[in-house]
Amino acid sequence: MAVTTIRKTTAEKTAATLTETVRQGFTWEGARAMLDGLPGGALNIAYEAVDRHVVAGKGGETALLWLGKDGRRRPISYDELARQTARFANVLASAGLRRGDRVFVLSDRVPELYIAALGTLKAGLVFTPLFSAFGPDPIRMRMEIGEATALVTDAGTYRRKIAAWRDRIASLRLVLILGDEAPEGCVALGPALASASDRFEVAPTQPEDPALIHFTSGTTGQPKGAVHVHGAVVMHAETGRYALELTPGTRYWCTADPGWVTGTSYGIIAPLVNRVTMIVDEADFDLERWYSILQREKVEVWYTAPTAIRMMMRAGKAAATGHDFSALRFMASVGEPLNPEAVVWSNEVFGRPFHDNWWQTETGGIMIANTRAMDIRPGSMGRPLPGVEAGIVQREGEGLRASRDGEIGELALRPGWPSMMRAYLHEEARYKKCFVGGWYLTGDLALRDADGYYWFVGRADDLIKSSGHLIGPFEVESALLEHPAVAEAAAIGIPDETAGEVVKAYVALKPGVEPSEELEREIRGLARKKLGPAVAPRAIVFRKTLPKTRSGKIMRRLLKARELGLPEGDISTLESDET
Ligand code: ATP
Ligand code: MG
C-alpha cells in the first residue's frame, strides 16, 4: 500500500473546482440553490439538464457531440435537445402514458437514446435503461421486475429478442421503434417525433418523485432494481463539479453505457446539468479509435473504468505515443478498484493520473473521490466528497462499532445525500437490511488511513480468510499486475484444511506472452516478495480472459463457484467468457 504519492502542483490545486473553502462552506441547501427548480418546489432532472440552459440564453451551445460507428459526427445543441425531448414527451403523453409510468430503453448509443431518457423525465415518467447487448432473458426479467409501461428499441432487437414474449408483460402498453418503420403492434419513433409538437410543459415533479430505476451490475448475484428520485439531480450537479471538474463548455467524455448507472448519472445528467459538451461514441472500445477521439475532439475531462484502462495498458505505452493528449486536464475512473500500477502508468502516458472514485448503483452518485486538488495515493479511492459522511464499521451483535484507522471494516455512509436509492424494487426486506445503527452499509470492505484516505479491500463476499489473516483480493491482484506479463488478475479463496482458506489467482497474460510453469513460478515469486507467503497466491491459473459483467467487472464469485463445483447463480450480465 505504501506507494509513492503523486503530488499536485500549486497551479493544479488552485485550478481545482473543489477547494477547502468550498468544502467547508458546503450545504445541500446551497447545492440545491445552484439549480433553478420549478414553481411550487418542483424539481425535474430534464429541466435542470436541458431547458434551464435554454431559458438562460445558452441554448446555442453544444450539448452532445455524437460520433457514429460509421464516422458520422453530429453536434446537438441545447436548443435542439430541448425541442427533441419535448417532442418525445408529447409522444408519450399522447399515447396515454401518465406520471410514474416506466419507460425502458434498450438501444445502442444513438442520439434517440439520450432524447428518450430526457424526454421521459420531462414527462414525469420513470426512465429505465437496459444494456443493448443483453439477451432475451435478462431483458424480460428486468421488464417484469420493473413493470415496464413502454419500451424504446430498434426493429432488429425487437424481432430477435422481444417479439416472442412481449404479450407476457401485462403492463407493457407501448413499443416505440427507432427509425421510420415499425413491426406490427409497434409505433415508429421517427414519424411520431416529427408530428409531435416541440413544446411541452415540463412535469412539475417533486424532489421525492421517482425518476430512474437502475439495475445493479449483478457482480455478486441477481441484479437489484434501485429506485432513484428527481432530487438526485442535486447530487449529480454537485459531484459533476467537484469530482469531475465539469464546468460550462468543458469537452467531456464518459465512456460508460447508459445501461449502467454511471452512463446515466455521469453520461447524461451530471454533464448536461453542468452545461458541458458531452461526447457520445456509438462504438465500443477500440484502442486506436479511443486515442484518436481524445486527440481530435480535444477531450478535457475523461471518465472511464479500470477494465478499459487495463486494456490500454495491455497494448503498451507505444500504442499511445504519437497522439496529442494535451487537451486533457482531468481523468477519473470508477467501477472497480483501480490498481496503483494503472495510476502510475496513466501519469506517464497521459501526463496526468487517473483519479479513482467510488460509488455504487445504490448511492446514485460519486461518494468518495480523488479530486483535482488532492495529492494522489495510488490504490486509494480518495476522500468523501462534501456532504458525504463515510465511516468504516464493524458489525457487532445487532449493532455497529467504529473501526480504528487502518482496521478493515465495512464501508458505511450516513444517509441523507439526495441521490440515495429509495427502494430495491419488490425487495423491501433486503433494502431495510442495508440500514443499521443510523448507517447505510455498502457491502464493500475498506479501511481509512490516518489522513482520511479510503482504501478499498474487496467486496464483503470476496474477502479471503487465511490462517487468521483477512486478505482482500484487490491487494493480491494489484501485486500480480506489477509483473510485466500480467494483463488482468482475479484472486479468490479456496478451502484449505490447515489455513481455512488459501489464495488462488487467475491471470490473463499480455498479448504475445505464452503461459508456462516457469512464468507461473516467477509471478508467484514476485507476489510472495510483495505480499509475504501468507497472503501470496498458492496457485496461479492462466486464462485467456477472466469472466466479467457486461459493465466490465471481474466476477470472482463465478471463478469460485466453478472452482468448488457449485451452481453458477445469476449470470445474466456475464460477458463472453473463454477459458
Ligand atoms: P451487484 O450489486 O449486482 O453485485 P455491483 O455491485 O457490481 O453488482 P454496481 O452498483 O454497478 O453493481 O457496482 C458498485 C460496486 O462496484 C461497488 O459496491 C464496489 O464493489 C465496486 N466499485 C465501484 N467503484 C469502485 C472503486 N473505485 N474501487 C473499488 N470498487 C469499486
Ligand atoms: Mg452491488
Side-chain angles (χ1 to χ4, degrees):
M1 205 165 71
V3 187
T4 8
T5 303
I6 296 179
R7 296 204 182 279
K8 301 288 179 62
T9 61
T10 312
E12 187 82 2
K13 287 183 176 170
T14 318
T17 307
L18 178 57
T19 60
E20 273 315 302
T21 325
V22 168
R23 192 181 274 281
Q24 276 159 25
F26 181 85
T27 60
W28 285 119
E29 293 69 37
R32 165 75 175 78
M34 292 178 78
L35 299 175
D36 285 1
L38 291 166
L43 186 63
N44 182 292
I45 295 177
Y47 181 80
E48 300 304 325
V50 185
D51 297 66
R52 177 168 72 109
H53 308 313
V54 175
V55 172
K58 307 291 182 187
E61 295 178 11
T62 303
L64 201 156
L65 177 58
W66 180 74
L67 307 174
K69 274 182 196 158
D70 57 3
R72 272 179 301 163
R73 191 172 178 279
R74 178 176 161 201
I76 298 174
S77 66
Y78 280 94
D79 273 335
E80 187 185 347
L81 197 56
R83 287 195 302 269
Q84 294 289 358
T85 51
R87 287 177 190 276
F88 189 85
N90 276 314
V91 169
L92 297 179
S94 59
L97 269 60
R98 294 282 168 264
R99 292 269 291 274
D101 280 349
R102 290 153 182 192
V103 179
F104 277 60
V105 179
L106 178 67
S107 161
D108 289 345
R109 288 181 296 279
V110 293
E112 288 77 7
L113 162 56
Y114 298 81
I115 291 164
L118 294 157
T120 297
L121 294 168
K122 211 173 221 188
L125 278 61
V126 179
F127 172 61
T128 306
L130 293 183
F131 192 53
S132 62
F134 276 153
D137 288 349
I139 299 171
R140 200 186 64 195
M141 185 181 93
R142 285 164 181 75
M143 285 178 62
E144 266 166 10
I145 298 177
E147 292 159 296
T149 325
L151 170 70
V152 182
T153 191
D154 60 88
T157 303
Y158 178 77
R159 284 202 190 90
R160 275 182 285 117
K161 301 183 184 173
I162 293 157
W165 48 261
R166 170 201 173 150
D167 291 344
R168 285 172 35 206
I169 310 278
S171 55
L172 188 62
R173 301 215 307 271
L174 173 69
V175 178
L176 290 164
I177 300 291
L178 302 178
D180 293 335
E181 283 166 31
E184 213 191 310
C186 305
V187 175
L189 185 60
L193 284 177
S195 60
S197 160
D198 64 3
R199 296 185 158 266
F200 185 89
E201 194 173 331
V202 180
T205 43
Q206 291 301 310
E208 282 302 310
D209 285 350
L212 309 156
I213 295 170
H214 283 296
F215 288 91
T216 60
S217 290
T219 316
T220 55
Q222 189 162 24
K224 297 146 274 187
V227 180
H228 292 281
V229 295
H230 277 274
V233 67
V234 176
M235 182 80 178
H236 297 140
E238 183 245 353
T239 52
R241 261 194 316 274
Y242 298 147
L244 296 178
E245 295 288 323
L246 302 182
T247 51
T250 299
R251 299 174 69 84
Y252 165 74
W253 186 23
C254 169
T255 63
D257 187 273
W260 310 111
V261 72
T262 306
T264 297
S265 291
Y266 296 98
I268 305 180
I269 304 171
L272 295 178
V273 171
N274 284 298
R275 219 176 83 221
V276 312
T277 291
M278 61 178 203
I279 284 141
V280 171
D281 184 23
E282 186 191 14
D284 289 329
F285 177 85
D286 173 89
L287 189 75
E288 185 47 41
R289 183 177 171 100
W290 277 34
Y291 284 162
S292 307
I293 290 175
L294 290 171
Q295 171 173 329
R296 190 184 62 236
E297 306 302 345
K298 301 189 173 54
V299 174
E300 296 168 295
V301 177
W302 183 26
Y303 195 22
T304 190
T307 180
I309 300 168
R310 288 193 299 260
M311 283 196 266
M312 293 179 230
M313 292 168 73
R314 189 192 270 237
K317 282 180 196 157
T321 44
H323 291 91
D324 175 7
F325 300 125
S326 58
L328 275 175
R329 60 181 164 81
F330 190 77
M331 293 145 55
S333 161
V334 73
E336 277 193 302
L338 186 63
N339 313 89
E341 189 71 8
V343 179
V344 174
W345 184 87
S346 60
N347 202 32
E348 286 170 14
V349 171
F350 300 105
R352 313 193 166 273
F354 272 108
H355 293 70
D356 188 18
N357 60 51
W358 178 95
W359 57 292
Q360 47 181 204
T361 307
E362 290 84 343
T363 71
I366 302 172
M367 307 300 288
I368 296 179
N370 288 285
T371 65
R372 189 173 181 189
M374 278 167 64
D375 293 331
I376 299 186
R377 301 181 178 178
S380 159
M381 48 201 192
R383 289 198 299 232
L385 285 173
V388 173
E389 184 187 345
I392 305 286
V393 299
Q394 312 284 333
R395 295 187 192 238
E396 267 187 0
E398 298 283 279
L400 300 175
R401 160 178 81 73
S403 305
R404 296 176 299 277
D405 285 348
E407 184 188 7
I408 295 176
E410 190 162 349
L411 177 59
L413 301 160
R414 194 71 82 181
W417 71 95
S419 65
M420 176 59 183
M421 67 162 166
R422 297 302 196 267
Y424 278 137
L425 280 181
H426 311 303
E427 291 194 273
E428 207 184 330
R430 181 176 213 159
Y431 176 75
K432 282 215 177 105
K433 254 179 75 185
C434 299
F435 300 89
V436 180
W439 290 93
Y440 162 69
L441 298 173
T442 65
D444 283 346
L445 299 174
L447 57 87
R448 183 179 49 214
D449 67 20
D451 300 313
Y453 282 72
Y454 282 72
W455 301 77
F456 184 79
V457 171
R459 291 161 184 272
D461 297 351
D462 292 338
L463 196 72
I464 304 161
K465 295 182 192 104
S466 185
S467 306
H469 296 275
L470 292 181
I471 305 171
F474 177 47
E475 185 187 7
V476 179
E477 292 157 10
S478 290
L480 295 171
L481 238 69
E482 285 186 41
H483 191 285
V486 175
E488 281 188 313
I492 59 165
I494 54 167
D496 179 83
E497 271 188 13
T498 40
E501 277 187 314
V502 290
V503 180
K504 177 164 183 175
Y506 294 79
V507 159
L509 295 169
K510 286 194 180 151
V513 186
E514 285 305 316
S516 68
E517 275 178 33
E518 197 190 329
L519 183 61
E520 198 251 3
R521 266 198 308 278
E522 193 185 305
I523 299 174
R524 264 197 297 124
L526 172 82
R528 232 183 354 261
K529 213 168 85 207
K530 300 248 162 224
L531 302 167
V535 178
R538 291 284 171 86
I540 292 177
V541 179
F542 294 120
R543 290 184 44 140
K544 268 213 199 83
T545 58
L546 301 178
K548 282 192 216 113
T549 64
R550 290 197 178 274
S551 50
K553 295 163 192 263
I554 296 172
M555 290 171 96
R556 294 174 193 81
R557 68 164 161 105
L558 201 57
L559 291 169
K560 190 156 178 167
R562 288 175 183 171
E563 180 71 40
L564 304 180
L566 296 171
E568 294 193 339
D570 183 291
I571 50 165
S572 64
T573 62
L574 177 67
E575 228 199 347
S576 68
D577 176 34
E578 328 152 34
T579 45

